[in-house]
Amino acid sequence: SVTMAHGHGHCSCCCGEAAAVSGGDQERGAAWGLYLRIDRQRLQCLNERREGSGALVFRAWEERKDRTQFVESDDDEELLFNIPFTGNVKLKGVIVVGEDDETHPAEMRLFKNIPHMSFDDTGREPDQMFSLNRDPAGDLEYPTKIARFSNVYHLSIHFSKNFGAETTKIFYIGLKGEWTEAHRHEVTICNYEASANPADHKLEQITPQTHFIS
């Protein structure tokens, strides 16, 4: 019961921080700094209408209300983000900002450590699922089950439905948590997985040596 009390105390502390605009706001913004730890070269958004737009929604917490950058889905309402990190992440919370209308995502499904997920893979059980409320201001935080998300090197976020529009629109996704550097061998494993095609592996092994010669 002690931990429960601690958890609740911590919770009210967050809200307090949000209310205190001066120092607290900055502190709160710092907690949402995981976007800096995303491997942008390998970040993927499937079913985005405009190529590269999915990457725009991962930015500073202070910019969560920026309406100029957004991703919109293409064929239907679904969006799937594959987010590789540059180390290991303990994911503690997610914020999702959309429009205050039917294009706002209504459901979010999180999967950890399954690189290169496709829509075919989303049939499996997510590590955590959230029903979302419309949140045009970025006020709502969805807390993850931290024990389940304490060692994440790759996060997939599947937005499976919205509030009834043909397409889904997202302005901002905030990721809160802690980052630690990966051990060398884990980095190697990730790079190896980065090429889905076995034929590519030979190329990958040759490439580094070429760099050394030049």
Side-chain angles (χ1 to χ4, degrees), residues 86-131:
T86 57
N88 288 322
V89 163
K90 180 188 283 186
L91 184 67
K92 296 180 175 180
V94 184
I95 290 177
V96 180
V97 175
E99 202 80 85
D100 195 6
D101 63 17
E102 297 185 338
T103 63
H104 195 296
E107 187 175 80
M108 170 171 70
R109 306 166 77 239
L110 303 182
F111 300 86
K112 67 167 189 198
N113 301 344
I114 312 174
H116 313 293
M117 271 191 82
S118 68
F119 284 107
D120 293 343
D121 303 319
T122 57
R124 63 171 82 191
E125 193 70 27
D127 289 293
Q128 196 168 355
M129 187 165 99
F130 298 92
S131 290

Side-chain angles (χ1 to χ4, degrees), residues 26-195:
Q26 241 171 347
E27 218 170 295
R28 182 158 184 219
W32 294 92
L34 279 184
Y35 73 98
L36 296 167
R37 306 300 189 181
I38 294 172
D39 181 349
R40 297 258 169 187
Q41 299 298 311
R42 289 167 44 222
L43 174 68
Q44 268 186 323
C45 178
L46 306 186
N47 197 34
E48 56 184 6
R49 177 168 291 186
R50 208 171 71 249
E51 202 180 329
S53 54
L56 303 175
V57 303
F58 298 97
R59 53 182 190 269
W61 183 78
E62 292 79 11
E63 295 171 27
R64 65 195 182 284
K65 295 176 182 173
D66 177 359
R67 286 285 190 252
T68 61
Q69 309 189 70
F70 62 86
V71 60
E72 189 172 358
S73 62
D74 192 16
D75 290 337
D76 53 26
E77 77 280 17
E78 290 186 70
L79 281 168
L80 176 61
F81 292 87
N82 279 315
I83 308 159
F85 295 105
T86 57
N88 288 322
V89 163
K90 180 188 283 186
L91 184 67
K92 296 180 175 180
V94 184
I95 290 177
V96 180
V97 175
E99 202 80 85
D100 195 6
D101 63 17
E102 297 185 338
T103 63
H104 195 296
E107 187 175 80
M108 170 171 70
R109 306 166 77 239
L110 303 182
F111 300 86
K112 67 167 189 198
N113 301 344
I114 312 174
H116 313 293
M117 271 191 82
S118 68
F119 284 107
D120 293 343
D121 303 319
T122 57
R124 63 171 82 191
E125 193 70 27
D127 289 293
Q128 196 168 355
M129 187 165 99
F130 298 92
S131 290
L132 303 182
N133 293 307
R134 293 183 196 180
D135 185 19
D139 295 328
L140 303 175
E141 176 182 342
Y142 298 94
T144 59
K145 297 171 181 157
I146 296 178
R148 196 170 282 184
F149 291 94
S150 63
N151 199 4
V152 180
Y153 60 85
H154 185 285
L155 176 69
S156 299
I157 306 180
H158 177 216
F159 293 99
S160 41
K161 53 181 178 221
N162 59 21
F163 286 93
E166 280 182 25
T167 61
T168 297
K169 209 169 177 182
I170 297 173
F171 291 97
Y172 169 83
I173 296 176
L175 302 173
K176 182 170 87 170
E178 296 163 17
W179 175 87
T180 47
E181 215 163 332
H183 303 303
R184 275 314 305 163
H185 69 266
E186 285 173 45
V187 174
T188 323
I189 292 166
C190 295
N191 291 346
Y192 187 73
E193 286 175 354
S195 60

Side-chain angles (χ1 to χ4, degrees), residues 1-11:
S1 68
V2 176
T3 39
M4 284 286 288
H6 175 75
H8 288 187
H10 194 72
C11 203

